[in-house]
């Protein structure tokens, strides 16, 4: 079986199945970029959320769409590396707030740059720079959709 010609693959109708598979494929490209800074995708997601605001585990779990034990495991690794700190919540000894450290912010900036570099490698293979910019603009549109959804769902 011969591979589908590029023009045909690009011109194929976009459907939700294809888009979902593309997002999964793209996630792998992000993971490859993160390998350059020794950060996993879940760790990157947690650092990104904590960069927006400090959070307790239940809030992080809700925002990540995972169960609290999953967040605890990821945060444990970030704490061990000095990238995140835990602080007791005033007035509630059972709750712990998580905050990204200056070292965590520096690694997050490096991770952002590594992911951008990886995505640039992918888009640099395109013949049309305008199409590459359109691909990035499409991602910006998805970010807007995700932020809007999050605010509607959780009020933040």
């Amino acid at each position: 079986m011969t591979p589908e010609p590029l023009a045909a693959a690009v011109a194929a109708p976009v459907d939700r199945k294809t888009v979902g598979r593309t997002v999964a494929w793209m996630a792998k490209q992000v993971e490859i970029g993160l390998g350059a800074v020794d950060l996993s995708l879940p760790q990157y997601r947690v650092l990104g959320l904590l960069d927006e605001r400090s959070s307790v585990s239940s809030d992080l779990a809700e925002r990540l769409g995972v169960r609290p034990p999953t967040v605890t495991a990821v945060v444990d690794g970030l704490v061990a590396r000095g990238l995140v700190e835990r602080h007791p919540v005033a007035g509630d000894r059972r709750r712990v707030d998580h905050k990204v450290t200056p070292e965590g912010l520096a690694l997050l900036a490096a991770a952002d740059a590594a992911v951008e570099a990886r995505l640039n490698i992918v888009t640099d293979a395109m013949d049309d720079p305008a199409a590459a910019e359109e691909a990035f603009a499409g991602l910006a549109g998805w970010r807007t959709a995700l932020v809007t959804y999050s605010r509607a769902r959780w009020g933040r």
Side-chain angles (χ1 to χ4, degrees):
M1 177 182 256
T2 60
E4 182 178 11
L6 179 61
V10 171
V14 176
D15 60 27
R16 292 178 190 263
K17 174 181 66 176
T18 304
V19 171
R21 292 175 183 181
T22 302
V23 171
W25 191 7
M26 188 166 190
K28 184 60 181 177
Q29 297 303 311
V30 172
E31 286 178 337
I32 291 169
L34 292 173
V37 294
D38 191 30
L39 205 58
S40 70
L41 186 54
Q43 290 172 327
Y44 183 56
R45 292 177 65 203
V46 168
L47 287 176
L49 290 175
L50 291 177
D51 183 40
E52 294 171 10
R53 69 174 189 268
S54 64
S55 297
V56 295
S57 288
S58 59
D59 180 47
L60 281 173
E62 191 174 270
R63 292 166 63 202
L64 291 167
V66 300
R67 296 176 34 87
T70 302
V71 170
T72 300
V74 173
V75 170
D76 284 347
L78 294 170
V79 169
R81 291 175 63 183
L83 305 174
V84 169
E85 295 175 336
R86 290 183 169 113
H87 301 280
V89 173
D92 188 346
R93 293 181 303 156
R94 295 172 298 163
R95 295 174 59 104
V96 176
D97 194 36
H98 301 88
K99 184 177 179 186
V100 65
T101 65
E103 294 82 8
L105 290 173
L107 184 61
L108 180 59
D112 289 339
V115 168
E116 181 182 358
R118 180 62 192 182
L119 295 179
N120 282 335
I121 288 169
V122 173
T123 58
D124 285 350
M126 299 173 76
D127 291 334
D128 181 4
E133 286 305 313
E134 184 179 332
F136 280 107
L139 291 175
W142 270 104
R143 177 169 175 76
T144 299
L146 290 166
V147 167
T148 303
Y149 169 79
S150 178
R151 288 182 180 158
R153 172 108 192 232
W154 296 294
R156 36 183 168 314

